[in-house]
Amino acid sequence: MVRTYMEKTCKSSTHMGNSSAYGKKKEEKNTNTIKEEAQKELAKLEKMIKAVDKFQSHAPKGCLKYQNKGNSTYFYQQYMNEQTKQWERKYIKKDNISLVRKLAQKHYYTVLRPALERNIKALRNFIRQYHPEDMEEIYEGLSVERKELIEPFMSTKDECIRKWFEEKYEVNNLYPENLRFETEQGEQVRSKSEVIIANILYQHKKDILYKYERPLEIFADGKCKTIFPDFTILNARTGRIIYWEHAGRMDDPYYTNELVKKMNTYISNNLLPGRDVIVTFETMGNALDISVVKKLVSEMCVSKQYMTKM
């Protein structure tokens, strides 16, 4: 589930302040994520049906029949004799198990293909007809007077950005002595590499906004705990949230072990690397690649997703 601004991971959250939006404890999610997942599923099913057709085009003739006698199972290949136009059944020797498997697979694919076709048709119809952005446009089309009187289901971009700037939270007070590197935005971070990341993010402030070590409540080991992603990034055009972790000490075994734990925690909360969480890496012999940072930031700026409330 792709996070959008104001989304709550733990419903008992209190660390974000007392705004009415947080008091309602409503979780927002990106409806376009549903459409994206449908597109991914469609692509998967289309790939499956191609694999089915490819297999079937080279499958052995006829079908598999079997007979149980005592503790043994005997397999037969049943097929239509093209010359006599009669069904024939041929015993398959035990050393020809590959033919048995191919005929069994052929039957499975024959039964499976209609189901694949139905689901492909359903997904194509859904993708064609589902337009979550229409709901946002309805709200945007209202007069200012009406907007002030209602609470929309859709979080508009302007409202999303306003809440982002008004948000208050407790900063990470762990090892404050390490906060000694200043970014272009005037904040203190913990490493020169984080300065590079922060500055490149700040250069794209028209499209994306970021906060350093913004707390995130998340479930780990059955409990709700607070972690501090290095950067929490908001797409100003869509409301999509992405978390960025910079792993700057990959030479340190303890550090890498803790990183694995943190990434597993993200994944267990359905925050997936490459989709919801970006990770950059660094060792003593391999410094942060600035071109990689620029490419990642550029990709975030072109996101075309929308957001909505649950």
Side-chain angles (χ1 to χ4, degrees), residues 141-199:
L142 297 175
S143 65
V144 175
E145 292 77 10
R146 290 185 182 275
K147 286 181 179 179
E148 292 177 350
L149 297 173
I150 66 172
E151 180 182 350
F153 280 106
M154 300 297 295
S155 293
T156 64
K157 301 176 185 67
D158 290 342
E159 181 70 5
C160 182
I161 294 172
R162 182 186 67 78
K163 290 176 181 178
W164 173 267
F165 284 114
E166 290 181 354
E167 177 190 57
K168 296 179 181 180
Y169 58 83
E170 296 178 9
V171 298
N172 184 7
N173 57 13
L174 188 64
Y175 306 119
E177 66 277 8
N178 293 336
L179 295 169
R180 53 194 178 90
F181 300 94
E182 186 171 341
T183 70
E184 290 181 8
Q185 197 168 209
E187 64 203 338
Q188 303 297 312
V189 297
R190 300 178 188 273
S191 71
K192 292 180 180 179
S193 293
E194 289 183 337
V195 170
I196 293 172
I197 295 171
N199 288 347

Side-chain angles (χ1 to χ4, degrees), residues 55 59-61 63-64 75-77 90-93 95-106:
F55 179 91
K61 64 179 180 179
C63 59
L64 181 69
F75 296 101
Y76 303 87
Q77 181 182 15
K90 181 180 178 181
Y91 172 68
I92 303 175
K93 295 180 180 180
D95 60 355
N96 198 3
I97 189 65
S98 63
L99 176 58
V100 174
R101 293 185 181 279
K102 288 178 181 179
L103 288 171
Q105 192 74 29
K106 179 181 180 181

Side-chain angles (χ1 to χ4, degrees), residues 129-140:
Q129 298 176 21
Y130 183 65
H131 300 287
E133 61 271 21
D134 291 348
M135 294 181 283
E136 182 180 355
E137 291 173 0
I138 290 172
Y139 177 78
E140 293 292 352

